Amino acid sequence: MSAGDQKNGGDKPEGPVPAADVWPEVERAERLARGAALKWASGVFCRPEHLERLSQYRKRESQRTTSIHTRLKSMVQSYLEGVGWGLEQLREARSELNQVSQALKKAGLESDQNLEGLKSLERLREVSVQHRQLVAAVSNLPRLYSVRSLVLETQRLVESRRLLEAHARLMDLEHWQDDILWQLHGAASSTGSKLSPEDQQLVDKYFSGVGQLVDALAKELWAVVSSSLALARQNPTPFVSAVRIVEREEALDRVLLEERSGTNGRPLPPGRPRCWRTSFFQVLEEAVSARFRSVSYLHTRGPGLAGHLSALQHGIMADLATVRHLLEHCVPPHYHLTGAYLRASHRCLHTHLAQVSSWDLESGEIFAVLNWVLHIYNSPDMMGHPELVAEMEREDMGPLISSEGLELLQNKYVQSVRKSVSEWMHKALQVELQDWQRDQEPDTDHEGFYQTSLPTIITQMLEENARVALMIGASLRDQTIQMGLYEMENLLNRFREALVDFGKEHRRDPNNSKSKFYLHYLLASISNCIILKKSTESLQQQQSSRSAGRFSRTPPNPLAALDRAVRRACRLVMDQLLLELQPFLPGLLTRPWLVQGDPTPKLCRVLEHHLELYGRVRLPCRQVPGSLCRTRF
C-alpha cells in the first residue's frame, strides 16, 4: 500500500455511516476472514515458484464465490416468497374476521329484538312446570294412598319373620319415595332452584314409617345372623333369607352409587349406602364373642381354668364344624364364611387370653394357658385340623399371644414355681431338723446306707418340675432347672448352717438324750449330700447348652455348696471321734499303759464303733478314719 493510500485511508470518511459502525460483528467477521485468507496464502505461496499457480487459485475462488452468491440469492428469494404468502394469508384472515364481526353484530341486533317475545313465553313455562307437577301428583296419588297400608303390612311380615316378602314391600316403598324426591328435584332444577326444605320434610314425614321398617328389618336380620349357628342345625331357611336380603341391598347400593357418579348425577336416597354386608360380618363376630361369653366363667380361676379352656376348644370346634358343613353352603363363595369365623374366633381368643394372662395366676393355671396356646390350639385336634390348615394359612392371623406375652407368662410361671419350691424346701428342711432330734437311728436304704427323706423330697420335686416344664418347651425347662439349682444352693447353705448349729448344741450338752444318735445323723447328712450331688448333676445335664448365656444373673453353683456342707459334716464327724478318744489319749505312752495296756482296748472299741458306722456312708466319703477329713467329693 502506497503512502498516499495510507494518507487517504487515514482521513475521516464522509457520507453515510459504514455498515461496520452499525454492525460491529460484520467488521469482526471481515477481520477474521482476512486473517484466515492471509494465513492460507502464506502457507500456499511460501516459495516464488508457487506463484505460477496463482491464476488457478484465483479462478477456483472466483467460482466458489459465484456459487455462494447464487445460493444466497436463492435462499433470500425463497424467504421473500414465504413472507409474501404469509402476508396474503393475513389479509384473507382479516377479511374473514370482518365478516364474522358483522354477522355477530347482526345476530346481537336480532337477539335484542327477540327479548320482548321471550318475556311472553315465561308464563307458558310456569304453566308447563305446574302441569308436570300435577301430572306427577296424579300419577303418585294411588301410591301415596297405599303407603300407610303397605307400611302396616310390611311391619306384620317383619314381625312374623317373613323376611323376603317384607324386604320386597320395603323396596317398593323406598322406590316410591325415591321417585317422588327425584321428581321434586327435577321440577326444582327446571326452574333453576333447589329442592326446598319444606318439600323434603313433607316427604320424609309422610314416609317416616319406611325408616322405622328399615330399622325393624335390620334388627330381625341381625337376630337371625346372631343365632345362625343354632338355626343351621334346625332350619337354615331364615339364615338363607337374611343372606339374600344382604346381597340385594349390596346390589342396590352399587346401582345408586353408579347413578350418583353418572351423567344425571342423581342424589343418594337417605340412609344410603347401607353396607349391610359389612354389618353382617360385624354381627357374626359379635355372635362369636357372645358364644365365648356363654361358656361358664364361674369356675375359671384355679383348677377350673383348664376345664374352661377345654370347653372353649370343644365349643369352637363344634361351631367350626357347623360353619363348614352347613352355613358355608348357605352363603355365596366369596363370603369365605369359615375364614371369617376363624378370624372372629381368633380375635376373641386373643382378647380373652390377654385378660386371663393379666390375672394373678398360680403355676398350674399358667401351665394350662401355655399348654393350650402352644400345643393344643395348633394341634390336629383344633386349628391344625387338615381341613382348617389351608384357611389358617390364607388368613395369616398371627399368634394367640405375642412373644413378649409368652415370655412374661413363662417368667410368671417360673416365679410361681420358685415360690412353691422354696416353701417345700423350707418345710423339708424343718422336717429334717426334727428328724435329727429323734431317739432312734436314721432310716436306711436297700443297700444299708443311712439316709433321711430330705434328698428324696428335693430330687422328686425338682425333677417333676423339670418334666412338667418340658411339656411346654425346652426353654421353660431350662429356666425351671436354673431356678431349682438356685433354690438348692440356698437350701444347702441353710443346711450347712443347720449342721453348724447342730454341732454347737451337741458340744454344749454331749450327754443329752437327744444327742444319742448325733453321729448317725451326721453320717446320714453326708449320704444325703451325695444323693443330692447326683441329682444336681442329672439336672445340669438336662439343660441345653444354649441356656447358660440366656440368664443375666450369676449361674448357680450348688455343687460348691454341697462340697462345703459335706466338708462341714465330715469335720463334725472327726470332731466327734476326737471327742470320744480324748479321755483315753492322756493314758498313752505312760507306765500303766506299758505294763497293763489299759486304754488300748477302749480306744479300739471306739474306733471299731466308728468304723462300723462309717460303713453306712456312701462312697466316696466312706474311708478309713485317718483320711476321712480329706474327702474327694
Side-chain angles (χ1 to χ4, degrees):
M1 182 182 293
S2 63
D5 295 337
Q6 291 178 358
K7 182 178 180 180
N8 295 333
D11 294 339
K12 184 176 181 180
E14 297 179 358
V17 180
D21 293 339
V22 180
W23 294 303
E25 293 82 0
V26 175
E27 182 180 0
R28 182 171 176 272
E30 186 175 355
R31 286 200 307 270
L32 291 175
R34 287 180 180 276
L38 289 173
K39 185 177 180 181
W40 175 79
S42 62
V44 174
F45 303 108
C46 57
R47 293 184 181 180
E49 57 270 17
H50 292 167
L51 293 174
E52 296 176 355
R53 291 181 291 179
L54 177 60
S55 60
Q56 298 176 3
Y57 285 114
R58 182 180 295 170
K59 183 179 180 181
R60 187 179 67 182
E61 292 302 321
S62 176
Q63 293 175 351
R64 182 182 299 174
T65 302
T66 302
S67 175
I68 291 173
H69 286 170
T70 302
R71 288 200 300 269
L72 284 174
K73 289 178 181 179
S74 175
M75 182 181 66
V76 170
Q77 181 65 29
S78 176
Y79 174 74
L80 290 175
E81 290 176 356
V83 171
W85 181 83
L87 291 173
E88 184 64 26
Q89 293 294 321
L90 288 174
R91 292 190 192 96
E92 293 178 0
R94 184 177 63 180
S95 176
E96 292 176 358
L97 284 174
N98 290 332
Q99 295 175 4
V100 170
S101 177
Q102 292 175 3
L104 287 175
K105 288 179 181 179
K106 184 178 180 181
L109 293 174
E110 293 178 355
S111 176
D112 293 339
Q113 293 174 2
N114 293 331
L115 284 177
E116 296 298 330
L118 290 174
K119 290 179 181 179
S120 62
L121 294 176
E122 289 294 332
R123 177 59 184 166
L124 183 60
R125 180 183 299 173
E126 293 176 1
V127 172
S128 175
V129 170
Q130 292 176 0
H131 177 73
R132 285 200 302 269
Q133 290 177 348
L134 290 173
V135 169
V138 170
S139 63
N140 287 321
L141 277 177
R143 296 180 180 178
L144 293 174
Y145 280 120
S146 62
V147 165
R148 297 193 182 279
S149 61
L150 192 57
V151 167
L152 293 176
E153 181 184 356
T154 306
Q155 187 173 0
R156 287 194 297 270
L157 291 173
V158 170
E159 291 173 354
S160 60
R161 281 203 173 181
R162 295 164 64 182
L163 301 180
L164 285 176
E165 298 178 38
H167 187 251
R169 301 291 190 279
L170 180 60
M171 290 179 69
D172 290 339
L173 288 169
E174 289 181 328
H175 182 65
W176 294 352
Q177 181 182 9
D178 296 344
D179 282 348
I180 293 174
L181 286 173
W182 179 242
Q183 290 172 10
L184 292 174
H185 178 78
S189 299
S190 63
T191 60
S193 61
K194 294 183 178 179
L195 181 64
S196 64
E198 292 79 8
D199 293 342
Q200 180 72 46
Q201 291 176 2
L202 179 62
V203 175
D204 292 343
K205 182 178 179 180
Y206 195 81
F207 285 92
S208 59
V210 176
Q212 297 173 1
L213 283 177
V214 172
D215 296 337
L217 179 61
K219 183 178 179 181
E220 290 297 326
L221 281 179
W222 306 144
V224 169
V225 174
S226 299
S227 58
S228 57
L229 290 171
L231 291 173
R233 301 184 182 95
Q234 302 169 3
N235 180 21
T237 303
F239 179 74
V240 175
S241 300
V243 173
R244 291 179 62 184
I245 293 172
V246 169
E247 287 302 300
R248 285 181 186 174
E249 288 293 326
E250 285 293 312
L252 192 56
D253 283 346
R254 286 194 299 271
V255 171
L256 293 174
L257 289 172
E258 290 173 358
E259 289 181 353
R260 181 189 181 187
S261 59
T263 55
N264 57 2
R266 184 167 182 169
L268 283 174
R272 292 286 182 178
R274 293 200 175 115
C275 303
W276 275 9
R277 187 185 295 167
T278 302
S279 300
F280 173 88
F281 289 106
Q282 292 175 352
V283 171
L284 179 66
E285 184 169 351
E286 291 173 2
V288 173
S289 179
R291 300 278 290 183
F292 275 79
R293 291 192 296 270
S294 67
V295 180
S296 177
Y297 279 59
L298 296 177
H299 305 290
T300 301
R301 304 299 300 272
L305 181 58
H308 170 69
L309 295 175
S310 178
L312 283 180
Q313 174 188 354
H314 294 302
I316 291 172
M317 295 309 295
D319 291 346
L320 272 174
T322 302
V323 171
R324 286 189 293 115
H325 299 303
L326 297 177
L327 293 182
E328 191 73 63
H329 303 291
C330 300
V331 298
H334 60 82
Y335 270 50
H336 299 295
L337 199 60
T338 302
Y341 183 84
L342 283 173
R343 287 194 305 274
S345 300
H346 191 83
R347 280 195 289 266
C348 292
L349 276 176
H350 178 78
T351 303
H352 178 56
L353 291 177
Q355 178 187 6
V356 171
S357 301
S358 65
W359 296 342
D360 186 15
L361 301 176
E362 299 293 335
S363 58
E365 298 171 314
I366 300 174
F367 174 83
V369 174
L370 289 173
N371 184 57
W372 199 85
V373 170
L374 296 176
H375 301 297
I376 295 178
Y377 185 71
N378 295 314
S379 68
D381 294 333
M382 205 168 175
M383 298 306 174
H385 193 278
E387 297 182 5
L388 298 176
V389 171
E391 290 286 346
M392 290 291 290
E393 291 177 352
R394 186 180 65 187
E395 297 299 333
D396 190 18
M397 294 176 291
L400 269 181
I401 300 180
S402 63
S403 56
E404 294 79 8
L406 285 176
E407 185 176 356
L408 180 62
L409 269 181
Q410 291 184 359
N411 291 335
K412 288 174 65 175
Y413 175 81
V414 173
Q415 293 302 321
S416 179
V417 172
R418 181 171 196 163
K419 180 181 178 181
S420 176
V421 167
S422 179
E423 292 175 356
W424 275 101
M425 285 187 174
H426 178 73
K427 292 178 181 179
L429 183 59
Q430 295 302 318
V431 172
E432 178 74 6
L433 298 182
Q434 293 174 6
D435 289 345
W436 289 354
Q437 307 299 327
R438 291 193 306 174
D439 192 17
Q440 63 181 26
E441 289 188 32
D443 298 330
T444 57
D445 60 8
H446 65 282
E447 295 178 316
F449 299 128
Y450 284 143
Q451 70 172 19
T452 60
S453 60
L454 178 66
T456 302
I457 294 174
I458 301 301
T459 300
Q460 290 180 352
M461 180 170 51
L462 295 182
E463 290 181 351
E464 179 66 16
N465 285 327
R467 185 187 64 81
V468 172
L470 183 59
M471 295 172 65
I472 301 299
S475 175
L476 185 60
R477 187 268 316 272
D478 294 341
Q479 294 183 52
T480 304
I481 291 177
Q482 193 87 344
M483 174 274 300
L485 295 178
Y486 275 119
E487 291 302 318
M488 182 179 287
E489 183 178 8
N490 295 333
L491 171 71
L492 292 172
N493 290 331
R494 296 197 300 270
F495 182 75
R496 178 175 172 274
E497 295 172 358
L499 285 175
V500 174
D501 295 339
F502 190 40
K504 291 179 180 179
E505 182 182 354
H506 176 72
R507 284 195 295 272
R508 283 195 299 268
D509 189 7
N511 298 321
N512 188 2
S513 59
K514 294 183 179 181
S515 301
K516 180 178 179 181
F517 297 100
Y518 169 73
L519 180 60
H520 302 71
Y521 281 101
L522 286 179
L523 297 176
S525 299
I526 296 173
S527 292
N528 290 343
C529 289
I530 295 172
I531 296 174
L532 288 176
K533 176 178 181 292
K534 295 179 181 179
S535 175
T536 301
E537 291 174 345
S538 174
L539 289 173
Q540 289 177 336
Q541 290 174 359
Q542 293 181 39
Q543 283 185 289
S544 61
S545 59
R546 296 174 295 176
S547 64
R550 293 202 300 264
F551 303 98
S552 58
R553 296 178 54 186
T554 304
N557 193 3
L559 294 180
L562 277 168
D563 184 68
R564 290 192 296 269
V566 170
R567 288 182 181 277
R568 174 53 60 184
C570 290
R571 182 71 266 173
L572 293 175
V573 169
M574 295 306 301
D575 291 345
Q576 180 63 22
L577 176 60
L578 293 176
L579 181 64
E580 294 182 16
L581 293 177
Q582 188 65 35
F584 309 108
L585 293 180
L588 295 176
L589 302 178
T590 61
R591 184 173 296 279
W593 175 70
L594 292 173
V595 175
Q596 301 176 359
D598 188 30
T600 303
K602 297 179 180 180
L603 285 171
C604 290
R605 282 197 296 273
V606 171
L607 292 174
E608 289 174 356
H609 175 65
H610 274 257
L611 284 175
E612 180 183 357
L613 293 179
Y614 296 164
R616 300 293 185 92
V617 181
R618 293 179 175 274
L619 292 174
C621 293
R622 188 179 64 188
Q623 300 177 16
V624 295
S627 60
L628 189 58
C629 293
R630 300 185 299 274
T631 57
R632 297 176 308 218
F633 185 70

